Amino acid sequence: MKDLALLKKEKERLESITNLPIKRSRQHYLRFSLPDTYQKLIDLEIEEDYSMGYASQAGFRASTCTPFYFYDLDFEIQTPLKIFPFAVMDTTLNDYMKLTPKQSLGKIRDLKNEVKKVNGTFITLFHNESLSAYQRWRGWSRLYGSMLKISKSS
């Protein structure tokens, strides 16, 4: 996370494996540090980042649901890195807020409706594990399917 040379090496390795340019990023919240993370992503020519959000609560960490270009206060410039804030994460609902899948769907619906009012971009973050129905994730794959239906509706 702090070693730009290693990050560059990892990005190049991933590009060689996938045979595709890597232009998007999402960092784990424990590995996300402002402005350092974004400055490194810019150095790596990453164009989009999807890390901006809260771990412990629903809502917008950047106070907006509209993608924006990162403004680097250290250098007083708007950068080419576009930030896509997310509204809510599966672990926030389950682990921090202790909501059931049904309660979570209500929360997701409310957030989606608020985003719609301002013509914003509704982004959620779900981990592979939450779709597994294993232990603490029972019922969450069904929630995910319901969320997709809500998201597609106007």
Side-chain angles (χ1 to χ4, degrees):
M1 150 181 160
K2 295 183 180 183
D3 184 343
L4 183 59
L6 181 57
L7 288 171
K8 184 176 182 184
K9 182 179 176 182
E10 290 177 347
K11 179 182 178 255
E12 289 170 351
R13 182 170 181 255
L14 184 57
E15 287 175 332
S16 73
I17 291 168
T18 62
N19 202 27
L20 294 168
I22 304 301
K23 297 294 182 184
R24 295 179 187 94
S25 171
R26 188 191 78 80
Q27 306 295 311
H28 189 280
Y29 78 97
L30 293 175
R31 298 286 188 202
F32 183 73
S33 174
L34 288 172
D36 302 336
T37 299
Y38 285 161
Q39 289 167 340
K40 285 182 178 58
L41 293 179
I42 292 162
D43 289 343
L44 294 170
E45 299 179 346
I46 298 294
E47 296 172 359
E48 298 177 2
D49 182 74
Y50 296 80
S51 306
M52 183 63 71
Y54 290 118
S56 61
Q57 58 191 348
F60 294 94
R61 184 173 169 184
S63 300
T64 185
C65 58
T66 302
F68 61 95
Y69 288 97
F70 175 63
Y71 187 85
D72 193 322
L73 292 172
D74 289 347
F75 298 103
E76 289 291 329
I77 59 166
Q78 177 179 295
T79 71
L81 179 64
K82 196 167 195 178
I83 310 303
F84 290 79
F86 64 85
V88 68
M89 179 169 52
D90 55 359
T91 54
T92 304
L93 298 166
N94 193 8
D95 299 341
Y96 290 93
M97 298 176 74
K98 307 291 186 201
L99 299 179
T100 65
K102 185 177 181 176
Q103 293 167 325
S104 296
L105 186 60
K107 185 70 168 171
I108 290 167
R109 182 180 290 116
D110 293 344
L111 284 165
K112 191 255 182 190
N113 289 336
E114 290 301 312
V115 168
K116 184 179 176 186
K117 286 179 191 177
V118 295
N119 206 21
T121 303
F122 183 64
I123 298 173
T124 61
L125 197 163
F126 274 68
H127 296 82
N128 296 346
E129 177 190 22
S130 63
L131 304 178
S132 70
Y134 182 70
Q135 293 181 354
R136 68 188 178 113
W137 293 111
R138 282 196 177 89
W140 286 80
S141 60
R142 199 168 116 209
L143 160 75
Y144 187 78
S146 298
M147 180 193 66
L148 289 178
K149 287 177 187 170
I150 288 170
S151 296
K152 289 178 184 177
S153 68
S154 332

